[in-house]
Amino acid sequence: EYIKGTSYVTGSNYFKTGIYPTNKTTIELRYSFYKNENNYSNLYASSRQFLAQSTTANDTRVVALWNGELIGNMSSFNNFNAHVIKQDKNVMYFDGSVVQTCTNAEWQDENELLLFGCPGGQDASAILYYCKIWEDDILVRDFVPCYRKSDGLIGILDKVECKFYENAGTVPFEKGPNI
């Protein structure tokens, strides 16, 4: 049903997607957080685009970046329910509602998009149910949580490429119930 990132430590558990985002990239994912620590947790990131959770002892906020434009305080909530985020090119949606529209401009990211991590930043203590990535409205990744039965390795399966992606970090993910 899901995979669970278990560490905030940089490089501990994350996936490389093989995608270098552009201004025509759309990312949608269903996630939930399960920790409320004084920390920052990156659900996905490259150098020009990210989605992260900022937490204090009393509050959780979701913040994002699109080509250098910060989408701050997108949501303030004190729950750990599942939410759907969609960063459709320069428009950000939170649970189906438009949160912000950023200034549109052409750009190509020099860094690969990471799931559960950030180039040089902290990994995510979060739960991922799915992640889809489109480039110029063409679905290029359709990640679902899974594990390899032969050795029990937890990862994500891209249904577009029919390819299993292993954890690029050093700390194992936890798996949710089988479905």
Side-chain angles (χ1 to χ4, degrees), residues 26-135:
T26 296
I27 302 167
E28 176 182 302
L29 54 86
R30 183 169 185 248
Y31 73 95
S32 61
F33 293 112
Y34 67 91
K35 286 186 176 182
N36 197 13
E37 300 175 354
N38 290 333
N39 224 318
Y40 211 74
S41 183
N42 292 288
L43 280 163
Y44 64 77
S46 60
S47 58
R48 294 177 180 236
Q49 184 170 18
F50 73 75
L51 177 71
Q53 167 202 20
S54 171
T55 60
T56 65
N58 302 314
D59 192 33
T60 300
R61 296 180 187 276
V62 177
V63 295
L65 179 80
W66 191 84
N67 193 30
E69 198 168 334
L70 187 63
I71 304 167
N73 298 334
M74 183 180 2
S75 173
S76 180
F77 55 92
N78 287 318
N79 67 58
F80 295 100
N81 297 333
H83 298 281
V84 175
I85 290 283
K86 185 171 186 177
Q87 197 168 13
D88 188 2
K89 301 168 190 74
N90 64 318
V91 181
M92 179 62 73
Y93 297 85
F94 183 80
D95 287 338
S97 297
V98 174
V99 175
Q100 184 168 335
T101 301
C102 297
T103 306
N104 204 356
E106 286 194 32
W107 55 272
Q108 167 78 48
D109 209 314
E110 55 276 0
N111 285 324
E112 181 176 5
L113 184 72
L114 305 177
L115 286 179
F116 281 92
C118 176
Q122 295 174 318
D123 295 346
S125 290
I127 293 170
L128 178 71
Y129 298 90
Y130 73 83
C131 177
K132 295 181 181 194
I133 304 171
W134 293 264
E135 189 61 42

